[in-house]
Amino acid sequence: MAITAPFATPHLFSIIHRKKKEKLGIALLGLGGYAGGQLAPSLQQTEYCYLAGIVTGTPSKVPEWQEKYNIPDKNIYNYDNFDEIADNDSIDIVYVVTPNALHMPYTIRAAQAGKHVICEKPMEISSENCRKMIDACEKANRKLQIGYRLRYEPRHQKLMKWAREKTYGKVKVIDTDFSFYGVNGSNWRFTDASLSGGGPLMDIGIYSLEATRYATGREPISITAQKYKTIQDKLPGMEESIFWQMEFPDGMIANCGSSYVARRNYVWVSTENGRYGIEPAFSYGGLKGMVNGDSMNIETSRKQQAVQMDAFAQNILNDTEIIASGQHGLQDMIYIEAIYEAAGSGKKISF
Ligand code: NAD
């Protein structure tokens, strides 16, 4: 039955209007290194979403962003007037790109303002906060994606497929590490544990953790861990290096690490009938996939973040399931808490 104006509520009209959109508007919230260096350029390549607005606490950043990305005045917000975004139909998605411990408040405010949310990794600094974010999005009936760009990357997707289909036999042992060398600068990730929630594990080790889950296709049954600190006057309240081991069902083992004083960036999978992996594995580009000594022969031209954001926009437009879901973010946080607990106590944590 056709809906005629006298019987249709404004809300119904807004839903109909939203369904007709072909491209969704994204507002980036927190205009730091990742938003400026990766997300805004990626939004120049997206097909199903575009950079519509910004939310920033630093007014001096506004003119450059407006000029570079043609952002109208009506789509610019600060943290005080952010909730007014509820009245702005040209913003469909808020992308939260702040320090980790601010992901929860902004995700909840965005969902309550009726916006879908992409939240950067790690999802927050505790599983309790992750649960509150999921609840808020569910209550507001809004979708939530975590910024796990590699869940949409074709080489990483091969690891998922080969685990699922046992293409090279059963997975036996996974080696993975994401580290970089250099505790430099005053950035919150090196200086403020109340914002970061931890050291390299929270920041980059989370990629290795993620890889163990999709390269086995299973969830771990136990975790042991060790942490080290050699530079005592840096990284207050955070680890400098952390190593952890995970047992999965069916005799699969993962040996993992993350450090701010090492140069490692790989995931390697040994199976009954071979060995495959990616090295470098976790960078924004230049990934090299290998299988049994040969190249995976995968060419990519689009930025990882463009693929990730387009996938989310399509999830919204077609009401389909999110690959990098809030549940994945929460599950990773539960394992991160277990890794820290195991490293602190020296005990094996079983699930
Ligand atoms: P950054 O320090 O460069 O930027 C953070 C932004 O948040 C800054 O613009 C800052 O002004 C703003 N901000 C708002 N409130 C703040 C407060 N109270 N204190 C400090 N800053 C505040 O950090 P970044 O490297 O852009 O990281 C932002 C988020 O993105 C983090 O959660 C990080 O883990 C994530 N990240 C993800 C990837 C990825 O590959 N997916 C890469 C880099 C960063």
Side-chain angles (χ1 to χ4, degrees):
M1 189 182 80
I3 297 163
T4 52
F7 302 108
T9 63
H11 180 60
L12 195 50
F13 270 130
S14 130
I15 289 171
I16 293 164
H17 178 68
R18 202 177 289 139
K19 282 216 162 133
K20 278 189 191 151
K21 280 191 181 180
E22 284 173 5
K23 266 190 150 186
L24 301 181
I26 292 194
L28 295 176
L29 182 154
L31 306 181
Y34 193 55
Q38 296 300 324
L39 297 177
S42 298
L43 281 162
Q44 310 312 301
Q45 291 188 354
T46 41
E47 285 175 50
Y48 299 99
C49 51
Y50 68 102
L51 179 52
I54 49 177
V55 187
T56 178
T58 315
S60 59
K61 290 182 185 169
V62 171
E64 194 188 330
W65 275 75
Q66 272 199 294
E67 195 183 329
K68 205 164 171 187
Y69 297 112
N70 199 20
I71 300 170
D73 289 345
K74 71 176 185 63
N75 291 355
I76 299 195
Y77 294 87
N78 57 48
Y79 298 121
D80 295 325
N81 69 12
F82 169 56
D83 305 285
E84 293 168 17
I85 207 166
D87 302 321
N88 191 335
D89 264 357
S90 52
I91 312 277
D92 304 282
I93 300 167
V94 172
Y95 197 144
V96 178
V97 210
T98 59
N100 307 339
L102 301 171
H103 291 179
M104 178 179 76
Y106 292 123
T107 295
I108 292 178
R109 280 172 72 181
Q112 288 176 346
K115 305 303 171 187
H116 301 283
V117 185
I118 310 178
C119 169
E120 255 318 312
K121 46 55 57 181
M123 186 169 168
E124 243 286 343
I125 62 167
S126 74
S127 55
E128 191 189 342
N129 289 356
C130 296
R131 287 195 175 91
K132 289 181 185 159
M133 294 159 73
I134 292 172
D135 280 356
C137 291
E138 279 177 2
K139 277 205 187 90
N141 196 21
R142 299 294 82 184
K143 290 194 192 291
L144 170 63
Q145 184 197 52
I146 309 304
Y148 290 135
R149 55 190 163 78
L150 295 172
R151 283 202 177 247
Y152 302 88
E153 202 280 334
R155 297 167 191 82
H156 286 263
Q157 287 184 327
K158 282 278 185 225
L159 305 193
M160 301 171 202
K161 183 172 189 282
W162 291 342
R164 235 178 8 249
E165 298 176 359
K166 298 191 176 61
T167 312
Y168 296 93
K170 279 189 189 172
V171 169
K172 299 301 289 180
V173 175
I174 295 179
D175 293 292
T176 176
D177 192 308
F178 190 18
S179 300
F180 62 76
Y181 196 99
V183 183
N184 296 319
S186 57
N187 189 269
W188 53 271
R189 50 169 56 72
F190 304 126
T191 57
D192 190 346
S194 72
L195 285 178
S196 66
L201 174 59
M202 277 279 185
D203 192 22
I204 48 178
I206 190 169
Y207 287 99
S208 286
L209 173 62
E210 270 276 288
T212 64
R213 295 179 59 213
Y214 55 71
T216 58
R218 304 293 294 271
E219 299 301 324
I221 52 177
S222 79
I223 290 179
T224 49
Q226 308 78 40
K227 62 179 174 177
Y228 300 91
K229 196 147 180 187
T230 62
I231 317 168
Q232 296 303 338
D233 61 339
K234 291 203 170 163
L235 300 170
M238 305 174 210
E239 77 282 4
E240 176 186 296
S241 298
I242 190 156
F243 302 96
W244 71 99
Q245 304 77 38
M246 305 165 86
E247 281 181 283
F248 289 81
D250 286 342
M252 294 185 276
I253 311 290
N255 183 33
C256 316
S258 185
S259 170
Y260 282 150
V261 290
R263 297 178 170 91
R264 292 139 79 101
N265 181 346
Y266 56 76
V267 50
W268 286 104
V269 183
S270 294
T271 68
E272 287 172 319
N273 303 322
R275 179 177 188 264
Y276 52 81
I278 310 171
E279 183 167 6
F282 305 115
S283 318
Y284 300 139
L287 307 193
K288 287 199 171 69
M290 299 290 290
V291 49
N292 286 337
D294 293 325
S295 166
M296 277 187 195
N297 273 327
I298 293 174
E299 299 296 327
T300 41
S301 55
R302 296 182 71 214
K303 287 175 75 67
Q304 295 165 1
Q305 294 84 353
V307 178
Q308 169 215 322
M309 289 187 276
D310 261 347
F312 187 56
Q314 285 177 284
N315 290 145
I316 295 166
L317 291 165
N318 305 322
D319 194 18
T320 48
E321 208 175 312
I322 318 292
I323 293 176
S325 65
Q327 285 298 335
H328 273 306
L330 164 63
Q331 199 57 59
D332 282 334
M333 196 53 56
I334 290 169
Y335 297 139
I336 285 175
E337 287 170 345
I339 293 167
Y340 281 135
E341 190 187 335
S345 67
K347 294 197 175 125
K348 182 191 264 197
I349 311 288
S350 297
F351 300 101

